[in-house]
């Protein structure tokens, strides 16, 4: 292999960490880093933090928005909670005895609509351990439950973690058992492709039970006839409400249809749901009422998903960035300049990873000031190398 073949282009180098950068920007770009989210009320989904300095374990759980984590809790011991749904920023309310929010000081004493878990005290999963866990040497991914929004180790889910897990949603075993109707959906929807889901649900609309089949056939054979309104057409099991037109009748309950099929599934372990599964849930008035009473109305909202939030964040980031000036300038660089930038970029990438690793090991949040100081140090080192002639300058 020649030296020309071994050379990696600057574009290849810059794209190497693109996926990781997108993931980070997706979480933060979906939230406002300059303004407290409290005036927005209970935000549909946002990045959240818990301050161990202000609300330590043993006290009341509290969560703060992205902007408050920067402006009001800089230098504090923060727990990163990723994202939570329907949460209103607590920063500076009565749970914070010695702190007033700098961005939005006028707040109610308590946000009664917020939901809290042990995550707000820095522990996760059924094992109630911190993340990262200094005492756990096993490499394992953390996966968030759609319903309780706790983070669980893959090895503690009680099931096999599928490939492409980032494209699926997970409901933990505890939440499945708390809302047992989900097992019925799981028997038909979980682990199925979108095309097979459509075929299965189309079939269940017509093949439910023997009696209902007969009823459906009777309706189909008479619905276009003028005497369909006559009571004589109605079979003996047709209820009095048959006089109503089918358009006025309540839509069939998809959940009841699936229950009638009685397809078996082992009811243990967490369940992974394929993309688009929420659209297959029944939305009849009865099911909507049940979901609302159980606090699960969000399951009918596909924009509630973390993936939808991340995509929104990525789109916001792309609109703000526009055309990347660094990538646009590549055509104006000669070969020597490109190689020089590649070497500098690799050095900076290594140093940045080491820099961020220290924050992760200590469980600290990286602030804009930390990043500014890092790049100031980089510029200082670069000037030092230029003055001592340690690298070639064009």
């Amino acid at each position: 292999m020649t030296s020309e073949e071994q050379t990696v282009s600057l574009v290849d180098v810059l794209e190497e960490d693109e996926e990781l950068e997108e993931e980070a920007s997706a979480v933060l770009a979906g939230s406002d880093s300059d303004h407290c989210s409290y005036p927005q009320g209970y935000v549909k989904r946002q990045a959240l933090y818990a301050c161990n300095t202000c609300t330590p374990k043993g006290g009341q759980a509290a969560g703060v928005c992205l902007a408050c984590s920067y402006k009001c809790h800089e230098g504090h011991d923060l727990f990163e909670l990723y994202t939570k749904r329907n949460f209103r920023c607590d920063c500076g309310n009565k749970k914070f005895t010695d702190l007033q929010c700098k961005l939005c000081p006028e707040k109610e004493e308590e946000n009664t609509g917020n939901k809290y878990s042990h995550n707000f005290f820095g522990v996760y999963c059924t094992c109630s351990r911190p993340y990262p866990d200094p005492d756990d040497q096993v490499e394992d991914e953390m996966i968030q439950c759609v319903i309780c929004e706790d983070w669980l180790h893959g090895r503690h889910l009680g099931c096999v973690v599928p490939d492409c897990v980032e494209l699926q949603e997970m409901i933990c075993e505890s939440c499945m058992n708390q809302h047992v109707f989900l097992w019925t959906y799981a028997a038909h929807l979980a682990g199925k492709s979108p095309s097979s889901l459509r075929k299965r649900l189309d079939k269940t609309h017509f093949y439910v039970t023997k009696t209902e089949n007969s009823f459906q056939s009777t309706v189909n054979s008479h619905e276009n006839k003028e005497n369909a309104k006559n009571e004589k057409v109605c079979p003996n099991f047709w209820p009095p409400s048959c006089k109503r037109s089918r358009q006025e009748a309540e839509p069939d309950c998809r959940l009841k249809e699936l229950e009638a099929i009685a397809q078996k599934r082992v009811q243990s372990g967490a369940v992974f749901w394929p993309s688009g599964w929420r659209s297959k849930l029944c939305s009849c008035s009865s099911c909507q009422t049940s979901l609302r009473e159980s606090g699960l109305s969000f399951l009918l909202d596909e924009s509630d998903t973390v993936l939808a939030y991340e995509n929104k964040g990525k789109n916001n980031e792309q609109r703000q960035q526009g055309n990347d000036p660094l990538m646009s300038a590549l055509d104006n660089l000669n070969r020597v300049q490109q190689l020089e930038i590649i070497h500098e970029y690799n050095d900076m990438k290594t140093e940045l990873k080491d820099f961020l690793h220290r924050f992760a090991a200590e469980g600290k949040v990286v602030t804009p000031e930390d990043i500014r100081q890092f790049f100031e140090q980089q510029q200082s080192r670069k000037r030092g190398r230029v003055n001592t002639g340690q690298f070639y300058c064009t």
Side-chain angles (χ1 to χ4, degrees):
M1 182 178 291
T2 65
S3 59
E4 182 68 20
E5 292 175 329
Q6 294 176 347
T7 302
V8 179
S9 70
L10 179 57
V11 174
D12 292 334
V13 174
L14 293 176
E15 290 180 348
E16 181 179 348
D17 292 333
E18 181 178 356
E19 183 177 351
L20 292 176
E21 292 173 359
E22 284 187 355
E23 290 178 358
S25 65
V27 177
L28 301 182
S31 298
D32 191 336
S33 61
D34 297 317
H35 304 92
C36 177
S37 65
Y38 180 85
Q40 301 176 40
Y42 292 90
V43 180
K44 189 171 185 177
R45 183 170 292 281
Q46 64 176 316
L48 283 182
Y49 300 82
C51 184
N52 190 41
T53 303
C54 297
T55 55
K57 189 174 182 179
Q60 297 186 70
V64 301
C65 67
L66 176 64
C68 287
S69 74
Y70 291 154
K71 305 298 193 300
C72 306
H73 300 268
E74 182 179 0
H76 291 191
D77 182 14
L78 296 178
F79 299 127
E80 185 175 1
L81 305 178
Y82 195 59
T83 71
K84 301 285 186 183
R85 72 166 61 85
N86 299 332
F87 197 94
R88 196 173 195 183
C89 181
D90 286 322
C91 181
N93 66 17
K94 73 173 186 178
K95 296 182 177 182
F96 296 80
T97 56
D98 298 322
L99 180 139
Q100 185 180 51
C101 182
K102 299 177 182 178
L103 301 177
C104 185
E106 298 297 326
K107 294 182 178 179
E108 295 181 5
E109 290 188 348
E110 187 175 358
N111 297 314
T112 56
N114 285 351
K115 293 183 178 179
Y116 306 92
S117 68
H118 61 176
N119 292 173
F120 289 80
F121 295 112
V123 292
Y124 311 87
C125 190
T126 55
C127 61
S128 294
R129 295 294 303 169
Y131 183 83
D133 188 347
D135 298 327
D136 185 4
Q137 303 303 317
V138 178
E139 292 187 6
D140 198 357
E141 58 186 330
M142 301 288 285
I143 305 173
Q144 190 177 34
C145 173
V146 170
I147 294 180
C148 67
E149 297 192 296
D150 190 8
W151 290 86
L152 294 90
H153 294 97
R155 64 185 185 274
H156 294 157
L157 292 176
C159 69
V160 177
V161 177
D163 297 330
C164 300
V165 67
E166 65 276 4
L167 300 179
Q168 303 186 47
E169 292 190 292
M170 183 273 290
I171 299 180
C172 69
E173 182 178 10
S174 176
C175 289
M176 290 294 297
N177 290 333
Q178 184 178 353
H179 308 286
V180 293
F181 72 93
L182 289 172
W183 288 115
T184 298
Y185 282 121
H188 296 269
L189 307 183
K192 306 295 182 182
S193 65
S195 60
S196 65
L197 293 182
R198 284 194 297 271
K199 292 178 181 178
R200 180 176 295 280
L201 291 171
D202 288 341
K203 290 180 180 178
T204 60
H205 183 74
F206 297 101
Y207 304 103
V208 183
T209 64
K210 183 176 181 181
T211 301
E212 288 175 338
N213 285 341
S214 300
F215 170 72
Q216 185 67 54
S217 299
T218 303
V219 174
N220 290 339
S221 63
H222 294 88
E223 61 182 357
N224 294 323
K225 296 182 180 180
E226 291 183 357
N227 63 349
K229 297 180 181 180
N230 193 309
E231 293 184 23
K232 294 181 180 180
V233 176
C234 299
N236 293 333
F237 55 82
W238 200 335
S241 60
C242 70
K243 294 182 180 180
R244 293 188 305 167
S245 66
R246 296 182 69 242
Q247 288 75 16
E248 296 174 350
E250 172 69 21
D252 293 336
C253 178
R254 185 174 297 172
L255 178 59
K256 290 182 179 179
E257 293 175 350
L258 296 178
E259 289 174 343
I261 296 175
Q263 181 162 317
K264 301 297 182 181
R265 176 193 171 95
V266 176
Q267 297 187 5
S268 66
V271 176
F272 283 86
W273 305 78
S275 176
W277 71 278
R278 296 189 185 209
S279 65
K280 307 300 186 292
L281 301 181
C282 182
S283 58
C284 73
S285 60
S286 177
C287 283
Q288 287 190 47
T289 299
S290 297
L291 289 171
R292 183 170 59 253
E293 292 175 347
S294 301
L296 301 178
S297 295
F298 60 83
L299 289 180
L300 296 178
D301 182 8
E302 292 194 76
S303 66
D304 165 80
T305 65
V306 172
L307 183 60
Y309 170 87
E310 290 181 343
N311 288 336
K312 178 183 176 182
K314 291 176 182 178
N315 292 335
N316 291 342
E317 187 77 4
Q318 290 173 357
R319 284 195 295 269
Q320 293 173 4
Q321 290 179 347
N323 294 326
D324 189 337
L326 177 58
M327 300 300 290
S328 301
L330 288 178
D331 292 337
N332 298 324
L333 298 177
N334 60 40
R335 185 68 171 173
V336 174
Q337 290 173 322
Q338 287 190 359
L339 290 175
E340 181 179 306
I341 292 179
I342 288 176
H343 290 304
E344 287 219 23
Y345 175 80
N346 283 330
D347 290 341
M348 183 196 70
K349 183 174 68 172
T350 300
E351 292 177 6
L352 180 59
K353 286 182 177 179
D354 292 340
F355 176 77
L356 296 176
H357 180 73
R358 293 197 297 270
F359 283 85
E362 298 175 3
K364 294 183 178 180
V365 175
V366 183
T367 67
E369 178 64 21
D370 295 324
I371 298 298
R372 185 185 64 79
Q373 291 179 0
F374 171 80
F375 282 106
E376 285 181 352
Q377 293 174 0
Q378 292 294 306
Q379 289 295 325
S380 177
R381 292 175 183 175
K382 180 179 178 180
R383 287 193 295 270
R385 288 196 294 268
V386 171
N387 294 334
T388 57
Q390 291 183 12
F391 62 87
Y392 175 79
C393 296
T394 58

